[in-house]
Each structure stands twice: as C-alpha cells, then as structure tokens.
C-alpha cells in the first residue's frame, strides 16, 4: 500500500530523505532558485517518489507544465531555422498558453519529481502503480496527477500500467540512451576519435570538491544552461551542490587545467541508470581543450566503471547518436479522470496540439 508523507521524518528511503529533507525544511528556492514548490513523498515497500505541487508562475519547466510546454517551447522555436514556421507557431503557442494559464494548468501534482530535467524511475509493479495513483487522487482530489519522465525504452511496464489506469501520454522531448557496458559501444569511430583527441589535453581529473570548487561548478553550469540555453532550466544553488557533495547524492567529477576548474558534472544514479543533470564547462576556453568531448567521454567511462546505463537526456542529438546513442521519446503521463470535464479539456487540447503540430516538427529535427 502506498502512503504519503509531507514531513522529512516520515521518509523511509535513506537517499530520498537526504536529498529532500533540506528542501522540505528550508524551501525549494534555497536549492533550486527558480522553483517555488511544496514537496512530499509517495512511498511503498522499496520505492520513494518525490511529489511537487503549488508552483509559481514562471517557475522552471522541471515543475511547471506551463513553462515546459509554452515558455521553454517558445524559446526552442528559434532552433528551427524556418522564420515563417517559427512566427506561426509562436502565435499558436501564445494563444494556447493563454488558454492553459486561464484553466489553472499549473495546479498539478508532479510525481517522481526530483527537480531535475531527467527523473529516473524505479521498477514498479502494476499493483504498486495503482496504489500510488489511488493514494494521490485521494489526497489531491481537485488536481491533475502528472507522472514525469517516462519512456518506452526503459519504463515500458510502468508506462503500460499508467496507461491502463487512464493516464494519457503527452510528448515531453526526445532523449538518448547510451550503454557503455557493451564492448561494441567503444568500437564506434567517433568515440575512438574522442579518445585520441582527449589524450592530448593536459587536464587533471577532479573527484574531490572544495566549497570554492562548488561555486565554480555553479558558474560553469549557469554559463552553459542558463545563459546559453534557457533560464527555464533549473537554477541550482551552491547549497544544492553542497548537499549533493556532503550526502553523496551526485557523483561529482570535473577537470582542471593549469589549476583551474574548467569543466564539471554531477551524475544522478537510480535503479541502474545514470543521468547528468549538472553539467558545465568553460565555454570561453580554447576549442583545442575539447571540454565537451572530454567531459562526455568521462561520463561514459564512469558509467562503464559502475556498470550503469546512461540516459543522456535531450539536446545535441546528432552528437549523441554518433556515439552509440539510441533515440527514444520521453513522455509525461497525466491522470484527469477524477476532474470535471472543463478541467480535463485543457489537457486534451494540449495533447492534440503536441501530436498534430509540435511532435512532427520536433521529430523531423536533430534534437
């Protein structure tokens, strides 16, 4: 039987307690600056799924469906390189966004939400999925229940169980899996070329981080993910990184060149899968250092060392596919059957827009 807790002392899983307790006590904004949310945990024997709710307008897409599908989506349009299509879609998104906001679209309960771009799922039985959904609906009878970050490559059983219970899949993004555990993974020409190039880079691997190092990690991440890409990405604070280091919540690694930290990443590991929500490098450094290649290669090496599959998340699809990346579609699944039809309408409209307009364009591109 699944139960909910909103108190740190009620969290049974050690990892979840260490990760979530500081945020529950001090508030999420102290750890992810653009997330204003209340947290809880739905848990059963052998699993603990964080839940997030009561967001604010303009919060990061990791909690806000409105930011995910409208705010971030509008920013992504510039990548199409098709001005007329971009202008049309921007107008459509603006109209869709106004309707969604008026409907209270962000008043959801977001499930398995670690406040990260990629949320890794534990294996759940059909009965466990049913128990989780029933417990959430009983506690939040007036809110849509949104299950984040599921795909058919890794989460087929959970995906199928949720679908059978009436949850509707909504396109989220394209993600890529890499399996460095396989010997043939390392035979790909691009990876061999990466290994050849990075042998020439005078970089020192970093596995121990001081507080000053963590401040530098934040700068590197911010320069890449916030300034180059989007401020809708999660804005991690030094407090988040410090707790991750002190509690061993992220596998932190980096590179120094001439004594300066020039690249760093933090891997989130659950249920035999690794993903890297914290990643940054000195974008002004010489291209001869090949910092992105260097760091990506080390992520794969670390995954091989630990016997882990890599969810390489979204973005730079051509780069990842050239390095044995296998593409799949990630979904959010929403349950609204317990709500009045007017509340359900907004989600139905979004699903139609995604399926008929957004998804064909996205899948045609290199994401």
């Amino acid at each position: 039987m699944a139960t909910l807790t909103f108190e740190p002392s009620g969290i049974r899983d050690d990892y979840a307690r260490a990760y979530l307790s500081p945020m529950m006590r001090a508030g999420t904004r102290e750890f992810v600056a653009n997330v204003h949310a209340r947290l809880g945990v739905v848990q059963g024997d052998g699993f603990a799924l964080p839940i997030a709710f009561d967001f604010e307008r303009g919060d990061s897409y990791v909690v806000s469906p409105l930011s995910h599908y409208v705010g971030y989506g509008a920013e992504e349009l510039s990548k199409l390189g098709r001005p007329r299509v971009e202008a049309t879609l921007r107008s459509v998104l603006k109209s869709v966004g106004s309707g969604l906001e008026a409907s209270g679209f962000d008043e959801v309960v977001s499930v398995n939400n670690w406040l990260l771009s990629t949320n890794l799922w534990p294996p759940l039985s059909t009965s466990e999925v049913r128990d989780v959904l029933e417990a959430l609906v009983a506690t939040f009878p007036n809110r849509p229940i949104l299950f984040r970050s599921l795909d058919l490559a890794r989460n087929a059983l959970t995906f199928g169980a949720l679908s059978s219970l009436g949850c509707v899949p909504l396109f989220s993004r394209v993600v890529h899996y890499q399996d460095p555990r396989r010997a043939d993974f390392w035979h790909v020409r691009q990876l061999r070329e990466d290994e050849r190039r990075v042998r020439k880079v005078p970089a020192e691997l970093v596995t121990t981080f001081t507080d000053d190092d963590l401040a530098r990690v934040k700068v590197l991440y911010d320069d890449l993910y916030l300034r180059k890409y989007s401020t809708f990405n999660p804005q991690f604070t030094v407090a988040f990184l410090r707790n991750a280091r002190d509690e061993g919540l992220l596998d932190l690694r980096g590179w120094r060149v001439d004594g300066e930290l020039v690249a760093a990443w933090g891997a989130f590991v659950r249920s035999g899968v690794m993903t890297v929500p914290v990643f940054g490098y000195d974008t002004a450094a010489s291209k001869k250092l090949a910092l992105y290649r260097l760091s990506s290669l080390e992520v794969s090496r670390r995954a091989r060392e630990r016997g882990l599959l890599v969810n390489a998340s979204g973005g730079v699809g051509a780069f990842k596919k050239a390095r044995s990346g296998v593409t799949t579609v990630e979904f959010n699944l929403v349950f609204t059957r317990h709500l009045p039809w007017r509340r359900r309408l907004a989600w139905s409209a979004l699903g139609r827009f995604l399926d008929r307009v957004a998804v064909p364009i996205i899948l045609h591109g290199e994401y």
Side-chain angles (χ1 to χ4, degrees):
M1 180 177 177
T3 59
L4 275 76
T5 183
F6 301 94
E7 297 295 334
S9 60
I11 304 174
R12 298 197 295 267
D13 179 80
D14 291 341
Y15 183 93
R17 189 186 315 111
Y19 190 108
L20 299 167
S21 291
M23 299 185 195
M24 295 170 81
R25 293 190 181 103
T28 55
R29 199 177 171 198
E30 294 296 312
F31 298 86
V32 187
N34 58 345
V35 169
H36 307 73
R38 293 179 60 194
L39 301 179
V41 176
V42 57
Q43 56 193 345
D45 292 336
F47 70 87
L49 307 176
I51 62 171
F53 56 100
D54 286 355
F55 323 130
E56 291 188 6
R57 189 178 189 277
D59 269 359
S60 169
Y61 78 87
V62 299
V63 292
S64 166
L66 195 63
S67 293
H68 182 148
Y69 288 109
V70 179
Y72 197 96
E75 292 183 351
E76 289 289 291
L77 290 176
S78 60
K79 295 181 180 180
L80 294 175
R82 299 163 64 184
R84 290 185 179 178
V85 173
E86 178 185 337
T88 300
L89 288 178
R90 198 175 296 280
S91 177
V92 172
L93 263 183
K94 184 177 180 180
S95 177
V96 170
S98 297
L100 294 178
E101 186 172 5
S103 73
F105 190 65
D106 266 356
E107 295 172 9
V108 305
V109 177
S110 186
V111 186
N112 196 35
N113 195 325
W114 298 87
L115 311 187
L116 304 175
S117 55
T118 304
N119 298 275
L120 303 176
W121 280 82
L124 298 176
S125 68
T126 301
S127 62
E128 287 173 328
V129 172
R130 182 182 298 108
D131 287 348
V132 166
L133 182 57
E134 289 177 353
L136 290 167
V137 170
T139 307
F140 298 98
N142 300 314
R143 297 178 187 242
I145 311 299
L146 187 69
F147 297 84
R148 291 198 67 225
S149 305
L150 289 124
D151 64 71
L152 289 170
R154 183 68 185 176
N155 317 119
L157 293 178
T158 302
F159 191 107
L162 287 168
S163 297
S164 70
L165 293 168
C167 293
V168 177
L170 299 170
F171 175 88
S172 173
R173 58 180 180 161
V174 172
V175 298
H176 311 276
Y177 280 97
Q178 296 171 308
D179 194 352
R181 302 169 299 183
R182 296 170 55 99
D184 59 356
F185 174 89
W186 300 95
H187 297 162
V188 174
R189 182 181 64 82
Q190 287 288 359
L191 280 165
R192 295 200 306 269
E193 173 64 14
D194 289 346
E195 291 188 304
R196 184 190 67 79
R197 284 191 63 180
V198 301
R199 279 197 292 268
K200 301 177 182 178
V201 178
E204 171 195 357
L205 182 64
V206 179
T207 59
T208 302
F209 288 76
T210 66
D211 284 354
D212 287 343
D213 288 335
L214 295 181
R216 175 65 174 163
V217 172
K218 182 183 183 306
V219 169
L220 296 173
Y221 171 87
D222 288 356
D223 282 347
L224 182 64
Y225 274 90
L226 305 183
R227 294 184 178 88
K228 183 177 180 180
Y229 294 134
S230 173
T231 54
F232 284 114
N233 281 310
Q235 298 173 13
F236 300 117
T237 67
V238 172
F240 176 90
L241 297 171
R242 187 182 301 114
N243 189 52
R245 177 199 63 188
D246 294 348
E247 298 292 341
L249 303 174
L250 297 180
D251 187 355
L252 291 166
R253 302 240 154 176
W255 295 105
R256 290 192 202 279
V257 173
D258 296 330
E260 182 179 17
L261 191 66
V262 294
W265 63 98
F268 177 70
V269 178
R270 301 292 279 171
S271 304
V273 183
M274 169 190 284
T275 192
V276 185
V278 176
F279 187 97
Y281 60 91
D282 186 348
T283 55
S286 169
K287 292 185 177 180
K288 292 181 181 180
L289 292 177
L291 293 177
Y292 183 77
R293 289 190 186 215
L294 184 67
S295 299
S296 298
L297 181 62
E298 185 59 26
V299 168
S300 296
R301 287 171 172 169
R302 183 61 171 162
R304 177 178 60 182
E305 179 184 319
R306 297 186 60 181
L308 299 169
L309 180 69
V310 176
N311 182 324
S313 197
V316 287
F319 179 94
K320 293 168 183 175
K321 284 187 277 190
R323 290 155 179 81
S324 299
V326 177
T327 301
T328 191
V329 174
E330 179 189 275
F331 295 88
N332 296 320
L333 282 86
V334 64
F335 185 80
T336 60
R337 282 189 178 179
H338 58 304
L339 300 176
W341 72 269
R342 290 182 184 276
R343 295 286 306 281
R344 302 198 301 266
L345 191 61
W347 294 94
S348 299
L350 175 64
R352 288 194 298 271
F353 170 75
L354 291 172
D355 291 344
R356 297 176 185 178
V357 180
V359 173
I361 293 172
I362 292 168
L363 294 182
H364 184 263
E366 287 291 338
Y367 293 93

